Amino acid sequence: MRPDGENTETPLRFEDLGLSADLLRTVEEEGYEEPTPVQERAIPIVLEGRDVLAAAQTGTGKTAAFTLPILDRLKAHANTSFSPARHPVRCLVLTPTRELAMQVADSVKTYGRHVALRSAVVYGGVPLDPQIKELLAGVEILVATPGRLLDLVGQRAANLAQVEILVLDEADRMLDMGFMPDIRRILDLLISRRQTLLFSATFSDDIKRLAGSILRDPVTIEVARHGTAAENVRQLVYPVDRERKEELLRHLVIEGDWHQVLVFTRTKLAASRLASWLDRHGVASTAIHSDRAQSDRTKALEAFKRGEIRVLVATDVAARGLDIEDLPHVVNFELPWNPEDYVHRIGRTGRAGATGDAVSLVCIDEADLLRGVQRLLQHAIPWEVEEGFEPSPHQQARPLRAPRGAAGAAPVARSRSNGAGRRPARAGGRR
Ligand code: AMP
């Protein structure tokens, strides 16, 4: 089974896609039996040198879909010279977050181990000097977050004049995070005769506009329908009173003997509070968000991967790009403002063909957010009341305060006729 769980009638083999023997060897060593849909479509097109606009979410195998053919295209430049001039930046991969940058850079190193091309990753929040040194020695493939890259260009450590291939990974998230001006400045530094690959989880109007302005005659690849959740993820809603969510989460983790649980909150403050509550109540937890130093985030992630930390609490922004394989449990401690984020969140489980559980603890204030998610999914999410955590019939909805510009946020307690005052479980379908 492929990472997205999809099977086709006559699957193509990696050998059919035009990759060179070196790369096919790597693929085999990685144990990939067949290409995923995005790999099947993208690899031959990227090898041809054409521009690509791809809608593919994390977990679809998109990183290999661009990295493998790029390595093949750049192989002609591979050399072992010590001269930095022989190793100009030829491929630039831009990502929204440090975590995604590190993950992509790891993949480049892994897939490129039989090719004499140098790669490096640069992101903010860590000292500049080591990155300057590494870039000055010369690298062919550079993975970067936009702000730090511009700092390095300003320091004359990065020269982008010879970039032949530009990849924008998770472009929708880069736009959401306000990177558009930085991206424009970076584009101004690149030659226009280049190959550009734009990967995005969704094709919003902004993405289409960006694609229209930077891609030349692109091939469009769409592998998962807008707003589709992976089929091998079991989704469940637990209706619960707002002040009992912590207890219910602790109960589910302990009773279910859950390990490696990724929990989402809407805010950094909620993430920190929840992690320390769980920790104080016997469940080893830590929060990961952008206020924490990069070294702390990396340490937390490593401890989580080793199983020393049972629960990792994250905000949507911090979780983007976290590559944790076979993550069995994702919990929405709070539903996101934006229904698309729900799909991203639960895409953290059920990866690489494994099945996963995505559980949402929903209080009455979140009834409208739940409706928004179900509207996007075009189906109701099953729900279950946990014994001992039955929501009180008297709890009144309190309006949620959405941050400015939050998409999909809607106040709940508007009038009785629009469903306010009902238990959110009712919105989840009948059982
Ligand atoms: P990505 O969507 O790039 O984050 O990849 C998701 C996961 O799928 C990664 O852990 C990859 O190692 C894995 N993967 C990528 N391509 C394949 C493949 N063809 N077969 C099996 N696993 C794959």
Side-chain angles (χ1 to χ4, degrees):
M1 187 83 81
R2 299 180 308 206
D4 60 353
E6 193 173 312
N7 285 313
T8 52
E9 295 283 310
T10 48
L12 277 178
R13 297 168 316 146
F14 273 107
E15 290 80 352
D16 303 327
L17 304 180
L19 290 168
S20 69
D22 285 340
L23 274 304
L24 288 176
R25 175 148 68 105
T26 311
V27 164
E28 199 185 329
E29 288 165 358
E30 285 303 295
Y32 298 168
E33 285 169 12
E34 59 186 62
T36 67
V38 68
Q39 292 165 359
E40 223 173 79
R41 304 260 341 260
I43 290 174
I45 295 163
V46 178
L47 284 173
E48 268 177 47
R50 291 196 58 182
D51 284 4
V52 168
L53 171 61
Q57 301 187 355
T58 300
T60 54
K62 69 182 166 66
T63 317
F66 63 79
T67 307
L68 293 170
I70 287 175
L71 286 162
D72 240 349
R73 283 187 48 102
L74 295 181
K75 234 165 53 138
H77 299 297
N79 70 87
T80 50
S81 161
F82 288 111
S83 160
R86 298 286 312 280
H87 303 278
V89 180
R90 297 189 188 273
C91 170
L92 173 64
V93 183
L94 291 178
T95 73
T97 62
R98 303 179 259 208
E99 281 79 13
L100 183 62
M102 286 194 278
Q103 180 193 325
V104 171
D106 274 354
S107 298
V108 172
K109 288 247 188 288
T110 302
Y111 300 138
R113 63 176 172 263
H114 300 306
V115 184
L117 291 168
R118 298 180 185 172
S119 63
V121 57
V122 295
Y123 43 78
V126 294
L128 264 171
D129 283 349
Q131 296 180 352
I132 292 179
K133 235 180 169 169
E134 192 174 11
L135 293 190
L136 288 178
V139 294
E140 277 94 1
I141 302 177
L142 178 58
V143 184
T145 53
R148 176 52 62 102
L149 177 65
L150 285 169
D151 289 346
L152 288 159
V153 169
Q155 302 273 335
R156 299 194 182 286
N159 180 342
L160 305 180
Q162 293 189 62
V163 169
E164 299 165 26
I165 307 174
L166 169 68
V167 182
L168 300 176
D169 195 10
E170 299 199 353
D172 49 346
R173 187 51 56 141
M174 285 200 271
L175 298 191
D176 287 352
M177 290 171 69
F179 282 133
M180 197 57 221
D182 285 352
I183 292 174
R184 289 264 167 237
R185 285 178 61 201
I186 293 167
L187 287 166
D188 285 344
L189 302 169
L190 305 180
I191 50 165
S192 53
R193 279 186 53 82
R194 57 158 199 270
Q195 181 178 21
T196 308
L197 315 176
L198 192 156
F199 284 78
S200 175
T202 56
F203 282 167
S204 64
D205 289 343
D206 285 343
I207 286 293
K208 286 184 196 146
R209 242 188 318 270
L210 174 67
S213 70
I214 67 170
L215 301 179
R216 266 179 314 149
D217 187 24
V219 177
T220 302
I221 297 174
E222 212 163 347
V223 291
R225 197 169 52 82
H226 175 77
T228 14
E231 276 167 19
N232 44 342
V233 177
R234 281 188 300 265
Q235 302 177 59
L236 191 60
V237 164
Y238 284 101
V240 60
D241 288 345
R242 72 176 78 79
E243 57 280 357
R244 297 205 65 203
K245 282 188 174 187
E246 288 86 354
E247 274 175 81
L248 174 57
L249 175 58
R250 177 176 177 273
H251 167 85
L252 292 172
V253 168
I254 291 175
E255 292 302 310
D257 196 23
W258 292 358
H259 292 267
Q260 291 207 315
V261 189
L262 180 61
V263 178
F264 286 93
T265 59
R266 285 190 291 262
T267 64
K268 297 178 214 173
L269 184 64
S272 301
R273 280 194 183 147
L274 177 60
S276 71
W277 189 94
L278 287 169
D279 224 34
R280 276 185 279 119
H281 291 81
V283 178
S285 308
T286 193
I288 188 161
H289 55 65
S290 51
D291 280 356
R292 294 190 61 182
Q294 182 56 32
S295 53
D296 286 351
R297 294 162 76 179
T298 310
K299 256 188 246 155
L301 191 59
E302 291 305 319
F304 181 65
K305 284 185 177 174
R306 285 194 302 270
E308 290 159 18
I309 287 174
R310 198 159 172 184
V311 174
L312 192 65
V313 190
T315 55
D316 292 290
V317 168
R320 253 337 240 207
L322 287 184
D323 183 39
I324 312 160
E325 291 190 30
D326 302 330
L327 190 62
H329 304 283
V330 168
V331 177
N332 294 298
F333 185 77
E334 297 170 321
L335 286 177
W337 296 120
N338 183 347
E340 286 282 349
D341 281 334
Y342 175 89
V343 178
H344 291 309
R345 288 177 176 190
I346 72 168
R348 299 279 150 205
T349 181
R351 292 175 83 174
T355 53
D357 284 314
V359 160
S360 303
L361 312 190
V362 179
C363 70
I364 191 149
D365 311 338
E366 298 173 302
D368 276 4
L369 295 180
L370 180 61
R371 270 192 284 276
V373 168
Q374 297 186 129
R375 214 173 295 129
L376 176 71
L377 298 174
Q378 296 179 2
H379 65 76
I381 305 171
W383 56 276
E384 209 169 276
V385 177
E386 185 66 10
E387 216 182 310
F389 292 89
E390 296 81 2
S392 123
H394 307 299
Q395 191 159 70
Q396 294 293 311
R398 274 192 217 150
L400 297 172
R401 264 186 302 143
R404 255 190 301 152
V412 171
R414 285 188 303 245
S415 74
R416 263 199 235 130
S417 61
N418 71 359
R422 282 191 307 173
R423 289 215 329 241
R426 298 268 183 266
R430 281 198 266 140
R431 267 222 166 161

